[in-house]
Every structure is written in C-alpha cells, then in structure tokens.
Amino acid sequence: MTAIIPQPNHDRYSRAIAASRRARWNIDADVIRARSFASSEKFLPDALSLAHELTFLGDAERVFLSQVQGRTYANLFGLVERFINAKVLAVAEQYFLGDQTALEALVRFSDEELKHQELFRRVEALAAQVLPEGYSFDIDPNDVARAVLSKSSWSVLALTCLIELFTLVHYKASIEPDAHLSELFKDVFRFHWMEESQHAVLDELEWLAEDARLTAADRDRAVSDLIELVAAVDGILQAQSAADASYFIARAGRPFSTPEQDTIRATFLRAYRHQYILSGVKDTRFVEILRGLISAAQFERIAQALAPLQ
Ligand SMILES: [Fe+2]
Ligand SMILES: [Fe+2]
C-alpha cells in the first residue's frame, strides 16, 4: 500500500488545478484557428536546430532544416507524451480513494497530454502539406512506452520531469524570443508551454513522493534505470537524426560534398541530443532536484554516462 501525500503538498496541487483551469485551451479555436504552414516559414529556432552552425547553407536551406527538425520536434513530443500520460494515470491510482485534489490535478494533467498528442498529430499533418515527400518518423509510441514503463517508477518520473522542464526552457529561452518563426508553430509551443508549466510542478511532487517510498538499494537501481532510459532516448535520437539528415540532404535541392554531408549528419545528432537530453540535464531546477535525492557518487555515475553525449 502506498501512503497518501502529506497535507503540505495539498496547496501545490490546488494551485496546479487553478493554473490548469486558467490555461485551458482548445486545439482549433485557440491554437490552429484554421491556419496552415507556408513552405517559406521557419519552424524551429537556430538555438535548438543549430542551423547557424552549418555556414555552407543558404538562407532557404536553413529554413528547410528548421522545418525538418521542427516537424520531428512535434513528433517526438507526441511520442514521449504516450508514456508520460500512462505513467500519470498509474501514479493517480494511489489517490483514487484518497486526496481528491491531487487526483484532480493528475486527471487534468492526463487530459492535457491526450490533447497535446492530438495537437502534435495535427502539426504533423499540416507539416506534411507543405514539405517535400520522403520524410519519415516511424517510431511506435506504444513500443517506446512499453519499454519505458518497464523501468522503475522513480526513473520514469525523473525522465518525465526532465522532459517537461526542458519543454519550458526551450519555449522561454529560444522559441518565444525568435521573431522569425512561423506564427502557427510558435503558437503551438506557446499553448503547449502554458499547460506544461503545471506538469513540471506535478512531476516534481510525484517524483519526490516516489523517492520517499524507496530504500537506498531501490534508489541505486533506479539511478541505473534512469541511465538506461537516457541511453534508450539517445538510441531514438541517433536513428531519427540519421533519417532526418538523409531526408534533408536528399531534398535540399542541390548536391552536398561528402564532408558537408558528414557535417550535416553530425550537426543533426548534436542538435537532437541538445534538445532532448542535454538541455534538460543542464537545467538548474532538474539538477537541484536530482542532487537533493541522490548521493554524490550516484550523481557522478549519471555524469559519466552522459559524458559521451556532450
Ligand atoms: Fe504535453
Ligand atoms: Fe506534459
């Protein structure tokens, strides 16, 4: 049997519910508003795509690169939200006959993630209308979710917290300040950010609650699980960055030399690792929570595992 979260967190769950009610939006009425993308529009900012580092590309080629990566950015969020939602529902079970405020906060969280997955499917369909044939993203979200959810709850909540914290950082630090992005693309991630702000708070509460239930040995195994999960994410990034770089090279409209092709492939991988792993593990809040839960030796074990990705 699991314990009910102690009373002090009641206010944090209440505030998350209130913020969720204020933020609540509709895919068509608020986000898409009958708009579509134009083939000339930039999707992902350079700070995330690293397009500016490919100095041999022309302006239109950099826009195309931002579209390829932006399309994958939306698809990858849709992918991870499958396991995030399943984990949130599993965590909510402990409150079915307990703290109804915590339960409502998590049910809203789940409802929002279902809506976000629908939003990202819509973004994929809109991107497909304006981008050339040949793009592929054929990773099954259910297969990924099954693999992730086989790991300890602590490690899945840690990964979820990491993802939801970097979602906030990407929007505030890179997407919002970029004046040259597609308004629709920007709105998708502005509305997403509005609801993700509550999720990051709830992830932290549930991660801490799970941590309190573990023995030292459980926690040490959970740290190993987290390292394995990050390695699995990296496997996905290696495959998708290779697919996206090949698509970009084939569809950019001119030949690239072999060294240029190698640089494009390496830059895609570096950009994806930055987006989905490194910007999260470097996030101040994430590091602060993690350091508060694990020993210096365990922290070092994680740092060692991440070193090859830098
Ligand atoms: Fe989301
Ligand atoms: Fe979320």
Side-chain angles (χ1 to χ4, degrees):
M1 294 296 287
T2 49
I4 290 170
I5 297 290
Q7 208 55 30
N9 284 329
H10 182 86
D11 288 348
R12 297 192 70 189
Y13 286 106
S14 288
R15 283 199 296 274
I17 293 170
S20 158
R21 286 197 178 120
R22 281 194 302 275
R24 193 159 202 83
W25 44 261
N26 176 282
I27 292 176
D28 282 302
D30 301 309
V31 187
I32 298 184
R33 308 201 310 268
R35 290 177 292 177
S36 48
F37 294 121
S39 54
S40 58
E41 285 180 319
K42 185 172 171 182
F43 291 2
L44 207 64
D46 292 4
L48 293 171
S49 74
L50 309 182
H52 59 290
E53 295 187 9
L54 293 168
T55 48
F56 54 86
L57 296 184
D59 290 346
E61 290 165 346
R62 283 188 207 164
V63 167
F64 179 46
L65 184 142
S66 82
Q67 294 169 334
V68 176
Q69 289 202 19
R71 186 173 181 180
T72 287
Y73 190 74
N75 280 323
L76 272 168
F77 273 109
L79 179 88
V80 298
E81 294 196 347
R82 186 67 53 87
F83 80 71
I84 291 174
N85 182 49
K87 177 48 80 180
V88 167
L89 289 173
V91 163
E93 190 180 356
Q94 68 190 302
Y95 305 111
F96 282 176
L97 306 180
D99 185 337
Q100 299 296 287
T101 306
L103 180 61
E104 182 180 345
L106 294 173
V107 167
R108 298 183 77 90
F109 183 159
S110 165
D111 181 52
E112 288 159 4
E113 294 298 34
L114 289 166
K115 180 177 65 178
H116 299 174
Q117 289 173 66
E118 165 70 14
L119 173 64
F120 295 129
R121 285 191 293 271
R122 297 283 297 276
V123 171
E124 163 56 28
L126 289 168
Q129 286 175 3
V130 293
L131 293 181
E133 293 283 305
Y135 172 86
S136 88
F137 185 92
D138 54 9
I139 312 161
D140 185 331
N142 293 327
D143 288 346
V144 171
R146 267 187 285 273
V148 170
L149 297 169
S150 72
K151 301 290 182 192
S152 55
S153 225
W154 188 98
S155 65
V156 180
L157 290 166
L159 180 65
T160 302
C161 192
L162 172 102
I163 292 169
E164 303 206 299
L165 283 169
F166 76 57
T167 306
L168 307 183
V169 174
H170 290 181
Y171 179 71
K172 282 316 248 182
S174 307
I175 298 174
E176 185 184 54
D178 193 324
H180 305 289
L181 304 187
S182 142
E183 284 303 316
L184 174 56
F185 190 86
K186 203 170 193 169
D187 272 349
V188 166
F189 289 96
R190 177 164 69 87
F191 282 98
H192 190 233
W193 166 81
M194 283 163 59
E195 291 186 337
E196 289 300 322
S197 301
Q198 286 73 258
H199 298 183
V201 171
L202 297 171
D203 294 333
E204 181 182 337
L205 287 175
E206 297 308 325
W207 184 18
L208 297 182
E210 176 61 15
D211 185 78
R213 292 188 276 264
L214 299 190
T215 64
D218 292 336
R219 189 172 302 104
D220 201 57
R221 277 191 297 273
V223 167
S224 302
D225 280 353
L226 179 59
I227 290 170
E228 287 174 28
L229 284 174
V230 172
V233 170
D234 191 56
I236 291 173
L237 301 181
Q238 289 187 41
Q240 191 60 36
S241 69
D244 288 356
S246 294
Y247 168 70
F248 174 81
I249 290 164
R251 295 296 178 160
R254 57 130 167 159
F256 292 105
S257 68
T258 305
E260 284 172 343
Q261 292 189 26
D262 292 345
T263 306
I264 291 168
R265 289 180 204 284
T267 305
F268 267 73
L269 178 57
R270 215 150 38 76
Y272 288 11
R273 282 174 165 168
H274 165 69
Q275 289 165 33
Y276 306 103
I277 299 176
L278 300 175
S279 61
V281 297
K282 286 174 186 161
D283 177 71
T284 331
R285 185 71 198 127
F286 182 77
V287 172
E288 204 172 72
I289 305 167
L290 189 63
R291 277 200 189 275
L293 300 180
I294 64 177
S295 68
Q298 287 164 334
F299 194 87
E300 185 51 32
R301 201 144 66 81
I302 295 173
Q304 290 289 330
L306 291 169
L309 310 185
Q310 310 266 1

